[in-house]
Amino acid sequence: MTLLEAAGLRVTLPGAGEVLRGVDLTLAPGECLAVVGESGAGKSVLARTLLGLTQQDPGARVTAERLSFDGRDVGRLRPRGWRRLRGRDISLVLQDALQSLDPLRTLEAEVGEALAVRGVPRPRRRARVIEALQGAGLPDAESRLGQRPGELSGGMRQRALIASAVVGGARVIIADEPTTALDATTAVQVLALLGRLRDEGAALLLISHDLGAVARVADRIAVLSAGEVVETGPRAALLAAPVHPVTRALLAARPSGAKPGPTVVPGADLISGAGLVRRYRSPGGGTLAAIDGVDVVVRAGETLGVVGESGSGKSTLARLLIGAEAPDGGSRALADPAPRVRLVPQDPLASFDPRHDVARILRHSRRPGAPESAELLARVGLDTAILRRRPAQLSGGQRQRVAIARALAGRPDVLVCDEPVSALDVTTQAGILRLIAELQREEGLGVVFISHDLAVVRMVSDRVAVMRGGRVVETGPTEEVYAAPAHPFTRELIAAAG
Amino acid sequence: MAAVRWLAARLARAVLVVWIVATVVFFALRASGDPLEAILGGPGSQAGPEAVAAAEREYGLDRPLVVQYAVQLGRIATLQLGDSYARRQSVAELIWQQLPSTLVLAVLALALAWVLAVVGAIIATTARGRIGRAVNALLRGVEIAATVMPQFWLGAVLILVFASTLGLLPATSAGSSPAELVLPVVTLAIPIAGFLAQVSRDALLEADRAPFATSARARGAGEPRLLLRHTLRHASLPALALSGWAFGNLLSGAVVVEVLFARPGLGRLLQEAALARDVPVVIGAVSIVAVLYVAVIVVADAAELVVDPRLRGPRPAALRMPDVAVGS
Amino acid sequence: MRARLGWPGIVALILLGVLVVAVIAPGVLAPRDPLAIDPAAAFLPPSAGHPLGTDESGRDVLVRIVHGAAASAGIGVWATALGIGLGLVIGFAAALGPRWLEAALGRIVEVLFALPTLVMALLLVAVLGAGTQSSVLAIGLATAPGYARVLRSRVQGVARSDYVGYARLEGTPAGTVFVRHIVPNTLWPLVATATLGIGQAIVWVSALSFLGLGTPPPSPEWGAMLDAGRVYISYAPWLTLFPGLAIVATATVLTVLGRRLGGAR
Amino acid sequence: SCAAPDAGEDAVTETGGTLVYATGDAEPTCLDPHVGGNYPQALLSTQYLEPLFGRDAEGTIRPWLATDWETSEDGLTWDLTLRDDISFTDGTPFDAEAVKANIEHLQDPNTASSTGYLAVEQIDEIEVVDPAHVRLHLSTPKSALLEALSQPWTAMESPAGIERGQDENCQAPIGTGPFVVDEWVPQQRVELSRNDDYVATNPEADHDGAAHLDGIEWRFIPDAATRQAALASGEVDVIDNPLPSDIVSAEGQGITHIDAPRPASSNRIELNSAQAPFDDIRVREAFVRAADPNPGIESLFLGTAERSYSPLSSMEPLAYADPALFETDADAAAALLDEAGWSERDDDGTRLKDGERLTVRFPVSTDQSTAAEQSLFEQIQENAASVGFDVVLDPVDLSTWYGALGAHEYEAVSAPYTTVGPDVLRILYHSSGTVPAPSGYFANHAMLQLPELDEALDAAASALDPDERAERYTEAQRIVLESYAVLPLYDQQNHFLVKGATGIATLGTVATPTFVNAQLTD
Ligand SMILES: Nc1ncnc2c1ncn2[C@@H]1O[C@H](COP(=O)(O)OP(=O)(O)OP(=O)(O)O)[C@@H](O)[C@H]1O
Ligand SMILES: Nc1ncnc2c1ncn2[C@@H]1O[C@H](COP(=O)(O)OP(=O)(O)OP(=O)(O)O)[C@@H](O)[C@H]1O
Ligand SMILES: [Mg+2]
Ligand SMILES: [Mg+2]
């Protein structure tokens, strides 16, 4: 029995042409289908179309030989009919996790919305919201109910979004890149939750650019390329014997192994923090120490990898290091002369002036002696064609790369990267990692590399700091830590990534 | 405790504003015309010297200006606004008589303006397709025209059509039936509605395109819910910032509307008093307006904080250098 | 450019051209004297000889509208410029300056708000004498606090944004950040409002005429015409209709262009 | 006194009901016309207060509360006989003591009377002979005394009412008229109800006893178009100050028009003869010859106003006109200006003399001049410009207007003045009128200081012989007109439109309407 079925699905979008070119797929209850593919393949458009959202776009044209839900033809459904399906029957975790929660509303209201739409009374709603948040792996869910998205870390927002999609008990759950901002442990937890839901009979459509990540839960895998399903089959078979070149490429480029090249001899201390503390107001009324006594040193010519749980204070530490926020305790010292620090932010879109095009963004950030814009773009694998575009007109991966190019334009002594490759497909990701390593070697850059992806961190860092609950629980040369993790949490992380 | 301190601060703020306003009004009005004429039965009075002297004494106009100013301030401070020069009545009583009528007019007009603006904005965001676009373009035109519609002209047209020609609604206010509120309220509301609609519709469209709106749709939220729970809140932010403006506009508009529709009210009282240089009445009326205004602003500020909790944080450090010099 | 303007933008641009010609060289469009009276030809409805009719003194309405463009546009532009300029200073300073400055400017805004436009006009007339100058000043001062509050709230949003924070972290001087990011991102969205403000300012001046404080006659200023003609609204409606349309058209043209330039869709 | 013709033949009149009157004049600040004293007060107080004398259409004095009078040879003592059957509505009898109390009230500086005060200024002593007889002793002879006492501003109020103090008396003065003030809701209305005990003393009354109406609702509707709309829709029954266009279209709509020009002075422009450039009679004549108001009066007033050539209202039997003096002649005007030395021209066509422009500052009170009148001034401005005058029209509020006059910052001005009788000439053109009152006000805006004019006016004021009086006033008017300091335009316009009522008459004194005979129709 199939729950969701699409045949010959075609979508034409204004300005982008035919984005989906005859996609066929079926989804049965208790089944998980993973859709993978490189950036821009049409995965997100597919997800939105299955919920009838693309159809609402005035310029979009959607046709399908067959589009049915639960045996019902939904191809010709009116907006009203779609609305009844959404949330209760089909739910969606949007890819744009950092911006997909209404900044003015509390977590409770946002996550509980699918229930509220159906008139579930408030007290019952609250219990289910807490349950869903806990299920999505958000710690102290109850105390966070009153918080708003701006007060949450990137990963927390993503988990809240997932919770908002599963809380309604939909029969079909479509998750678009649900773990990009999550550390390995949490990602495992989230995938486990999805797996559980599948086991309870829900149909799951999991979208990702990361074949490996979805391999855990997927029953079947479909590979999407340029709007077409180029390969599909059961997980084991497809992973074992990939046929299509795209599939092979996606599998081959997965990061693995230690940092290549000789061990670097670290230079002078550029930034050092001792006993850093940063507290935020917590919703309950007290304060929460996002950073709680951290000692950290950034040295020239060395990459410090920062890994850790989502919400453990990685971004906060980055903000303290670059001086965007003042610590509430501890001290911070800079080398003399002060090093130039540049940041690759976790949410690049928000860090671009929406009125400026890429050319202007790069020009403003460029310091004398830095490469020309064209060269900068080439380094991050982008074409000069995007120079005239504004940030909103870029895909998620492109934005992230422009943010890296912008940081490089400042010829920094220290580069702080907060999840710089989370939105990139593995091929592009590999290129960026290579670039960072190269720069460091050639120019003696000090790099702080924040990521939830242990494999990625291992590939670029010389030293690694493992964070949990605002503290550095373990630190040391990367290979030593990976080989013999001292702290149980580190062991747990490595096991989860395994 | 915190609430008391907050309230005290706001109160002090209102007092300060009233004081400045009273000072400006007092000196400017006294510099520009002679209140004696108002006292002595209107301009052109040919009162004899004894009458002039008597009036000067009675109203303390023979004393130095600074003393008169101090007296006036003292009166405001003790909430006894003194006696009108022109009307033989206490200012407090006069204002008390006229205020309700203006408030009713203003509140109804503001409510209507908001309803019209929101409806316009909703149509703008929900209209789709070819017809939707045409409706939208038309609506925009109507909004612009409404915004630049002079109230005295609009009111005259409405009177001509609905009172003179059709005889459907009364042109003037005899203080008897609710029907007589219709034309004044509409006249006052339309230009404000046009402006509010323009502002809130832009914000609404912007919010409507944001990812969180898509996300809410994916959760099954219908357009009404999306509007009420999500986008309208975002759209209301610029509108809230404008509420002080709208209120000021309402009161200025009330002057015109009250004269046109022969309604009693603070606006008309203020106009007459200002033209007659009836200083105590002008100061009294303007002070009340100032207090009301400060109240509106306080409410709007508070509402802004309620709607947008992001504003509760510390002030932006945009023009402060980062704590650690990292640039150079 | 054409793609961004669209056909409404092109129509607006053409009309703006006509307006500019009327402002700079009204004689080109209407070679007759806007003040020439002819009581015998008073109250003539629109006809071939007088396309928009004649007024109570037999002056040609079309000629007057064309010749009044300069005065009216001037009033609108200057009053709005004054309002926005003041609003800018107050709004920016209040949003970005130290707390005491914000408090002080906040009080100024409140005082300006608390003085109804009419009272403000009266006070200014008292100080400067009646006429266009006082009207412009009064309208400018009356609209400034509105702009100031909108700007303040917008500036606060922009100043809190990540991109401004990022620019500061790059070591961009405060002044540059202000010019580069804060001003464009707060001002451009205001363009549409401001263009609308020009029409509103003209209308405000006419409201002052209604209350007996406007531009002195027989200047063909649109607001004054609108008010003067109102008396004859049932007898000779063209006297108010056409100046009113001129104001609406001007406001529409400017708003349409403003929106296109401001980046609003 | 102009009775309204009956409205429509099939209209049914009824007794009772409340008539709604909407005035465009300002709302009085005190309902007691002794205080201050302006036309809005006169309009309203005519309904509840009555003067000692009336006047008919021919300008003849008629008895009202006083039935008879006698003057001494020297004109300094006046004996008045009063009606003995009248009481104020509070029950206080009307008698000689009441007359004394009223005149003293007018003369009391604390009353702050300006118009009424002028009327009784010369009364030195009021002698109560017996309840029905009062004797007035004057400081100087005053031929206009009876006219002065016929004004609404000197009407009789209950002494007990006056005793209550000004604050209370202003709210509801107590008189002997056909109606009683019930309530005054500021900025909205004054409610009047019928005086059931009314004794018909009013010379216009066509029946004995009380008025037909139950009462009058007196409303304030400042905007003319709104007022007209209210009349058309039946919200009100009577309006004043209608627009000329509305008067013209009234006929076809079953609306009755009452044209009752005000007495005393005409509406005119006065030229300030005390300062340049109008200190030269040739320049004044040039202005008058160039102004050419006739076509404008015709087109702007649509036939509802007639050009005047006299300083007095056409309602005044003694009015003297001389159209020949005012014939338009632009060439003659130009020649006069050349002759007076204003021969050079500026770039804009304005004449120059010794580098001075021929500028005429003309402050216009927007409260006192109607839209049509302001348009007429604009036309005069344009006509005068064609011979080289630069007329600067400055529409201002009343307070600013008086300020400009008080500071002599004007060369031309239009200032209406309403009273009863030709004595207005003395107020307006006697040289004593150039001396400002303590409030800064002066009535002689033309600043005429001509000994022969003063002499004629003084003689007329004390002349007890009607013929001599008439002759002296004619002479005075001739001098005024020939001085070219005055450009008469038309009578002070005073129109009423009525829909749904009959029997409305206007008094022969200051043309205020009385509703003593009025009845509603349906
Ligand atoms: N609203 C839209 N309007 C026009 N074009 C769009 C729109 N949304 C997506 N596209 C285009 O459709 C194509 C597919 O986009 P989609 O977001 O589905 O990619 P994706 O496979 O999800 O990539 P990623 O891994 O980067 O998220 C892209 O070329 C994109 O530019
Ligand atoms: N502005 C803020 N107000 C209140 N709490 C905040 C704020 N910013 C961060 N926090 C809290 O500080 C903690 C650490 O957040 P941070 O963003 O540093 O996490 P992170 O390690 O970067 O996580 P992720 O990997 O999910 O991005 C979280 O508990 C978060 O809720
Ligand atoms: Mg995607
Ligand atoms: Mg983070």
Side-chain angles (χ1 to χ4, degrees):
Chain A
M1 183 202 132
T2 57
L3 198 54
L4 188 66
E5 184 182 0
L9 182 63
R10 292 176 180 275
V11 173
T12 307
L13 290 178
E18 204 174 34
V19 175
L20 294 185
R21 302 189 289 178
V23 171
D24 307 317
L25 62 83
T26 59
L27 195 58
E31 180 192 40
C32 173
L33 169 67
V35 175
V36 295
E38 72 249 11
S39 181
K43 304 183 294 289
S44 300
V45 170
L46 173 65
R48 288 206 299 272
T49 308
L50 292 177
L51 256 81
L53 289 169
T54 314
Q55 287 87 325
Q56 279 194 0
D57 194 338
R61 224 184 55 236
V62 179
T63 59
E65 284 156 27
R66 182 164 172 69
L67 187 59
S68 69
F69 173 79
D70 202 8
R72 220 152 43 96
D73 182 16
V74 295
R76 305 223 168 279
L77 223 49
R78 311 199 130 260
R80 201 187 178 78
W82 275 116
R83 205 179 310 140
R84 257 186 244 119
L85 283 182
R86 288 185 211 135
R88 118 185 302 174
D89 293 318
I90 314 180
S91 68
L92 171 68
V93 181
L94 251 82
Q95 179 178 15
D96 225 341
L98 297 182
Q99 318 250 333
S100 280
L101 294 172
D102 190 333
L104 299 186
R105 286 169 34 105
T106 62
L107 221 49
E108 179 173 11
E110 281 291 275
V111 175
E113 181 150 45
L115 300 175
V117 168
R118 271 183 274 152
V120 176
R122 190 179 291 267
R124 293 234 324 269
R125 224 188 298 161
R126 168 169 292 207
R128 286 179 64 179
V129 165
I130 293 172
E131 191 190 336
L133 282 172
Q134 276 164 348
L138 195 71
D140 347 305
E142 191 158 1
S143 70
R144 291 196 182 270
L145 288 181
Q147 277 186 312
R148 290 180 171 77
E151 296 164 312
L152 300 176
S153 82
M156 290 173 178
R157 277 183 246 178
Q158 193 160 44
R159 278 171 280 170
L161 194 65
I162 292 166
S164 82
V166 303
V167 73
R171 291 200 279 163
V172 176
I173 298 167
I174 301 176
D176 192 356
E177 308 274 14
T179 60
T180 39
L182 299 182
D183 62 278
T185 324
T186 319
V188 166
Q189 217 174 325
V190 166
L191 291 175
L193 166 73
L194 295 176
R196 212 161 50 238
L197 291 172
R198 173 200 56 191
D199 297 340
E200 287 163 14
L204 198 61
L205 187 75
L206 195 58
I207 294 176
S208 176
H209 57 254
D210 184 352
L211 241 177
V214 298
R216 291 165 207 274
V217 277
D219 301 308
R220 284 187 305 126
I221 295 177
V223 182
L224 198 66
S225 177
E228 278 174 289
V229 178
V230 292
E231 189 171 357
T232 179
R235 171 188 56 177
L238 192 128
L239 289 180
V243 180
H244 199 270
V246 171
T247 321
R248 290 215 196 111
L250 283 173
L251 277 171
R254 300 209 64 218
S256 63
K259 187 173 180 180
T263 328
V264 288
V265 185
D269 291 2
L270 295 176
I271 307 176
S272 52
L276 293 175
V277 176
R278 178 73 176 119
R279 293 191 196 89
Y280 292 111
R281 240 187 328 219
S282 79
T287 60
L288 173 143
I291 290 289
D292 193 6
V294 169
D295 301 322
V296 66
V297 180
V298 181
R299 302 198 185 103
E302 185 195 55
T303 300
L304 171 66
V306 180
V307 293
E309 229 178 1
S310 171
S312 58
K314 302 186 293 295
S315 297
T316 307
L317 179 62
R319 287 199 296 273
L320 288 182
L321 283 176
I322 61 174
E325 279 176 22
D328 297 316
S331 65
R332 188 173 34 176
L334 292 178
D336 189 37
R340 247 192 322 270
V341 186
R342 286 296 179 270
L343 173 74
V344 179
Q346 189 170 13
D347 184 4
L349 179 57
S351 75
F352 297 129
D353 189 323
R355 296 190 164 268
H356 293 181
D357 60 15
V358 173
R360 197 149 168 220
I361 288 168
L362 293 178
R363 192 170 66 242
H364 282 162
S365 292
R366 188 168 175 276
R367 292 192 59 81
E372 291 300 321
S373 302
E375 199 201 320
L376 284 170
L377 286 184
R379 277 194 176 183
V380 295
L382 288 176
D383 197 85
T384 47
I386 66 152
L387 277 174
R388 293 268 131 247
R389 293 217 213 143
R390 295 188 186 191
Q393 297 168 307
L394 300 174
S395 90
Q398 288 168 329
R399 281 177 210 151
Q400 214 160 34
R401 284 178 277 170
V402 172
I404 295 169
R406 170 178 66 176
L408 297 180
R411 292 216 303 140
D413 302 315
V414 176
L415 186 64
V416 178
C417 308
D418 195 353
E419 302 282 6
V421 294
S422 62
L424 302 183
D425 63 278
V426 284
T427 327
T428 322
Q429 181 177 321
I432 295 290
L433 296 180
R434 224 176 298 122
L435 170 69
I436 290 175
E438 208 176 279
L439 281 172
Q440 184 178 52
R441 238 190 322 273
E442 286 165 13
E443 304 184 15
L445 227 59
V447 176
V448 177
F449 193 99
I450 298 171
S451 177
H452 59 265
D453 189 331
L454 285 176
V456 165
V457 169
R458 184 172 175 199
M459 260 187 82
V460 289
S461 353
D462 303 301
R463 241 163 6 102
V464 69
V466 183
M467 289 194 67
R468 186 184 198 186
R471 292 173 186 275
V472 174
V473 295
E474 183 165 3
T475 180
T478 309
E479 284 311 310
E480 280 174 29
V481 172
Y482 274 62
H487 196 275
F489 174 66
T490 318
R491 282 198 290 275
E492 198 183 307
L493 266 184
I494 291 174
Chain B
M1 205 51 224
V4 173
R5 282 235 322 265
W6 185 85
L7 214 69
R10 301 289 141 155
L11 215 65
R13 195 170 127 177
V15 168
L16 185 69
V17 170
V18 167
W19 174 59
I20 299 174
V21 164
T23 306
V24 169
V25 168
F26 179 84
F27 285 103
L29 279 189
R30 287 303 304 270
S32 73
D34 193 347
L36 263 180
E37 281 164 357
I39 298 171
L40 296 172
S45 87
Q46 303 169 43
E50 303 90 349
V52 171
E56 281 189 333
R57 231 173 308 112
E58 187 184 342
Y59 289 91
L61 297 173
D62 49 350
R63 291 195 267 176
L65 203 60
V66 185
V67 176
Q68 295 180 38
Y69 169 66
V71 168
Q72 188 68 50
L73 278 192
R75 290 216 188 104
I76 297 175
T78 52
L79 297 178
Q80 304 160 345
L81 300 172
D83 284 339
S84 155
Y85 288 164
R87 292 170 181 272
R88 276 141 189 88
Q89 233 180 323
S90 98
V91 173
E93 192 188 330
L94 260 177
I95 290 177
W96 197 240
Q97 274 171 352
Q98 305 299 327
L99 190 61
S101 162
T102 301
L103 280 185
V104 166
L105 182 71
V107 167
L108 287 179
L110 195 59
L112 178 64
W114 268 111
V115 169
L116 290 177
V118 167
V119 167
I122 289 175
I123 296 177
T125 45
T126 49
R128 311 226 181 265
R130 189 183 290 277
I131 296 174
R133 273 202 298 281
V135 168
N136 242 327
L138 186 75
L139 215 62
R140 257 229 204 282
V142 170
E143 279 165 15
I144 293 172
T147 311
V148 297
M149 189 80 73
Q151 273 146 337
F152 66 82
W153 187 81
L154 178 64
V157 172
L158 289 178
I159 288 177
L160 192 65
V161 174
F162 291 99
S164 293
T165 310
L166 299 176
L168 286 178
L169 292 163
T172 64
S173 299
S176 46
S177 77
E180 67 194 29
L181 268 166
V182 175
L183 292 183
V185 166
V186 170
T187 304
L188 191 52
I190 282 186
I192 295 169
F195 194 76
L196 287 179
Q198 301 250 354
V199 174
S200 46
R201 131 205 313 250
D202 284 345
L204 201 58
L205 281 178
E206 197 180 308
D208 197 60
R209 290 193 187 93
F212 67 77
T214 312
S215 189
R217 285 202 176 92
R219 281 177 224 132
E223 296 302 322
R225 181 180 178 90
L226 194 69
L227 211 70
L228 286 177
R229 300 295 167 100
H230 297 268
T231 48
L232 262 187
R233 275 180 83 166
H234 289 260
S236 68
L237 283 174
L240 272 179
L242 276 173
S243 51
W245 170 88
F247 181 75
N249 226 353
L250 272 177
L251 284 176
S252 295
V255 179
V256 172
V257 167
E258 284 168 4
V259 170
L260 195 61
F261 292 94
R263 277 184 65 77
L266 206 58
R268 212 167 135 199
L269 181 74
L270 188 60
Q271 186 218 8
E272 255 173 40
L275 292 177
R277 309 298 190 269
D278 193 342
V279 178
V281 174
V282 176
I283 289 189
V286 169
S287 301
I288 294 289
V289 170
V291 169
L292 282 177
Y293 175 73
V294 171
V296 167
I297 288 288
V298 167
V299 171
D301 277 351
E304 229 175 318
L305 287 185
V306 168
V307 172
D308 190 351
R310 292 172 295 185
L311 295 176
R312 289 178 215 161
R315 290 159 60 73
L319 295 191
R320 232 184 27 216
M321 281 307 275
D323 296 20
V324 180
V326 288
S328 54
Chain C
M1 196 65 194
R2 238 193 61 206
R4 262 184 83 194
L5 278 177
W7 67 261
I10 292 170
V11 172
L13 212 56
I14 293 170
L15 286 175
L16 183 69
V18 175
L19 183 70
V20 168
V21 173
V23 168
I24 296 172
V28 174
L29 293 176
R32 279 180 288 166
D33 178 2
L35 301 182
I37 61 160
D38 180 6
F43 295 122
L44 292 182
S47 65
H50 301 282
L52 305 183
T54 63
D55 71 3
E56 71 278 8
S57 294
R59 295 173 292 216
D60 185 282
V61 174
L62 175 63
V63 173
R64 282 174 70 71
I65 288 180
V66 170
H67 285 259
S72 304
I75 285 175
V77 168
W78 282 115
T80 308
L82 184 69
I84 294 210
L86 265 176
L88 272 183
V89 173
I90 297 178
F92 279 129
L96 300 175
R99 275 216 181 271
W100 63 264
L101 188 62
E102 184 196 17
L105 293 171
R107 296 308 82 74
I108 290 180
V109 165
E110 279 160 14
V111 168
L112 287 178
F113 257 135
L115 284 173
T117 317
L118 166 85
V119 176
M120 192 112 69
L122 253 171
L123 300 185
L124 287 164
V125 166
V127 179
L128 302 173
T132 314
Q133 257 185 11
S134 318
S135 306
V136 164
L137 255 176
I139 307 301
L141 285 177
T143 47
Y147 291 121
R149 274 190 65 84
V150 175
L151 270 171
R152 188 192 63 152
S153 128
R154 242 191 249 278
V155 171
Q156 280 180 346
V158 173
R160 279 188 166 84
S161 73
D162 280 5
Y163 56 89
V164 165
Y166 191 87
R168 294 298 286 138
L169 286 174
E170 278 189 340
T172 317
T176 312
V177 170
F178 185 73
V179 172
R180 203 180 264 173
H181 300 290
I182 299 186
V183 170
N185 279 295
T186 44
L187 273 197
W188 277 112
L190 208 70
V191 164
T193 317
T195 47
L196 210 55
I198 293 179
Q200 278 186 314
I202 301 176
V203 166
W204 265 116
V205 171
S206 69
L208 290 183
S209 297
F210 171 74
L211 298 170
L213 298 163
T215 315
S219 143
E221 195 270 312
W222 295 344
M225 288 172 72
L226 198 61
D227 175 55
R230 193 187 58 89
V231 173
Y232 306 104
I233 196 157
S234 57
Y235 183 72
W238 57 90
L239 290 189
T240 53
L241 186 64
F242 294 115
L245 281 181
I247 296 175
V248 171
T250 304
T252 311
V253 162
L254 293 175
T255 307
V256 167
L257 288 177
R259 302 195 89 84
R260 310 266 151 181
L261 294 178
R265 291 124 303 211
Chain D
S1 66
C2 166
D6 282 353
E9 265 133 70
D10 47 5
V12 182
T13 59
E14 48 191 74
T15 301
T18 300
L19 178 140
V20 185
Y21 181 96
T23 179
D25 273 302
E27 178 178 9
T29 54
C30 170
L31 298 189
D32 171 7
H34 291 186
V35 178
N38 57 19
Y39 199 75
Q41 286 173 307
L43 273 173
L44 189 46
S45 64
T46 296
Q47 316 314 325
Y48 47 82
L49 301 186
E50 295 181 312
L52 291 174
F53 297 97
R55 204 169 80 136
D56 65 16
E58 281 70 48
T60 314
I61 291 295
R62 294 272 167 220
W64 196 325
L65 291 180
T67 51
D68 207 358
W69 65 90
E70 215 168 295
T71 323
S72 69
E73 286 285 302
D74 57 3
L76 290 175
T77 311
W78 294 68
D79 276 301
L80 308 185
T81 308
L82 310 174
R83 287 189 71 134
D84 54 5
D85 53 348
I86 312 279
S87 290
F88 291 100
T89 49
D90 63 350
T92 312
F94 167 73
D95 56 13
E97 287 293 347
V99 173
K100 182 173 155 72
N102 270 279
I103 293 175
E104 281 171 355
H105 182 231
L106 283 166
Q107 290 176 333
D108 180 358
N110 286 322
T111 305
S113 167
S114 52
T115 316
Y117 174 78
L118 281 186
V120 299
E121 203 181 2
Q122 295 89 345
I123 300 176
D124 259 356
E125 195 196 330
I126 308 122
E127 187 184 333
V128 175
V129 180
D130 61 49
H133 289 89
V134 67
R135 183 170 298 144
L136 306 178
H137 297 279
L138 272 59
S139 54
T140 53
K142 179 172 174 123
S143 64
L145 182 68
L146 299 186
E147 280 155 349
L149 292 177
S150 75
Q151 297 178 16
W153 301 290
T154 55
M156 295 294 118
E157 297 176 34
S158 160
I162 293 174
E163 284 294 305
R164 293 176 298 173
Q166 201 174 79
D167 284 355
E168 209 171 323
N169 201 41
C170 272
Q171 293 298 313
I174 298 163
T176 60
F179 296 94
V180 182
V181 179
D182 278 347
E183 196 197 357
W184 177 15
V185 185
Q187 304 212 70
Q188 191 152 25
R189 61 177 187 273
V190 177
E191 278 169 14
L192 306 167
S193 66
R194 178 172 50 210
N195 171 9
D196 289 324
D197 302 326
Y198 183 62
V199 179
T201 50
N202 187 331
E204 303 296 335
D206 62 1
H207 63 288
D208 282 332
H212 301 303
L213 297 169
D214 290 336
I216 303 175
E217 184 180 327
W218 194 274
R219 301 189 42 198
F220 305 101
I221 305 183
D223 189 76
T226 311
R227 218 157 45 238
Q228 170 70 17
L231 182 75
S233 66
E235 284 165 62
V236 305
D237 305 301
V238 185
I239 65 170
D240 57 25
N241 295 295
L243 296 169
S245 54
D246 289 334
I247 298 175
V248 170
S249 57
E251 311 244 307
Q253 303 174 5
I255 295 175
T256 311
H257 169 216
I258 300 173
D259 184 4
R262 294 190 200 170
S265 81
S266 61
N267 246 15
R268 70 243 169 270
I269 296 174
E270 282 157 334
L271 307 180
N272 185 349
S273 66
Q275 61 196 46
F278 286 144
D279 53 354
D280 184 336
I281 189 170
R282 289 169 298 188
V283 183
R284 299 204 291 270
E285 182 178 352
F287 184 86
V288 166
R289 295 278 186 194
D292 192 22
N294 284 12
I297 293 176
E298 250 162 66
S299 64
L300 288 166
F301 290 88
L302 305 163
T304 61
E306 201 172 322
R307 173 70 199 268
S308 162
Y309 298 98
S310 166
L312 288 185
S313 161
S314 65
M315 292 291 101
E316 292 298 339
L318 296 184
Y320 163 83
D322 188 353
L325 288 171
F326 298 99
E327 254 158 42
T328 298
D329 188 341
D331 295 336
L336 280 164
L337 288 173
D338 285 337
E339 196 186 315
W342 295 92
S343 43
E344 282 167 72
R345 294 259 192 169
D346 212 343
D347 294 339
D348 62 352
T350 303
R351 287 180 186 255
L352 297 171
K353 179 178 169 182
D354 307 332
E356 288 283 318
R357 284 164 60 89
L358 185 51
T359 303
V360 176
R361 289 169 297 175
F362 190 168
V364 178
S365 157
T366 49
D367 303 66
Q368 299 188 6
S369 289
T370 61
E373 188 160 287
Q374 291 178 45
S375 298
L376 181 64
F377 295 160
E378 286 172 33
Q379 296 187 8
I380 290 173
Q381 171 188 44
E382 184 67 11
N383 291 332
S386 65
V387 300
F389 283 97
D390 177 20
V391 180
V392 183
L393 284 178
D394 193 5
V396 292
D397 66 87
L398 210 49
S399 189
T400 312
W401 187 73
Y402 274 103
L405 295 189
H408 289 273
E409 286 165 354
Y410 71 97
E411 277 74 47
V413 71
S414 169
Y417 198 100
T418 304
T419 174
V420 179
D423 189 44
V424 70
L425 291 169
R426 192 180 51 81
I427 297 172
L428 293 177
Y429 301 115
H430 195 278
S431 60
S432 62
T434 60
V435 182
S439 66
Y441 180 81
F442 60 99
N444 187 347
H445 297 131
M447 293 296 286
L448 285 176
Q449 286 168 303
L450 307 173
E452 47 165 348
L453 178 56
D454 286 357
E455 195 193 313
L457 290 169
D458 289 338
S462 51
L464 296 177
D465 172 35
D467 291 339
E468 193 202 341
R469 190 171 178 237
E471 196 180 310
R472 289 305 206 158
Y473 275 132
T474 306
E475 186 191 344
Q477 290 176 70
R478 197 178 39 74
I479 296 170
V480 168
L481 293 177
E482 284 172 357
S483 76
Y484 282 111
V486 173
L487 173 62
L489 296 173
Y490 31 72
D491 284 340
Q492 287 187 58
Q493 297 296 299
N494 199 39
H495 300 265
F496 302 90
L497 293 181
V498 183
K499 190 182 173 197
T502 58
I504 293 155
T506 55
L507 296 183
T509 48
V510 294
T512 50
T514 173
F515 297 94
V516 66
N517 306 328
Q519 279 177 288
L520 297 176
T521 62
D522 51 15

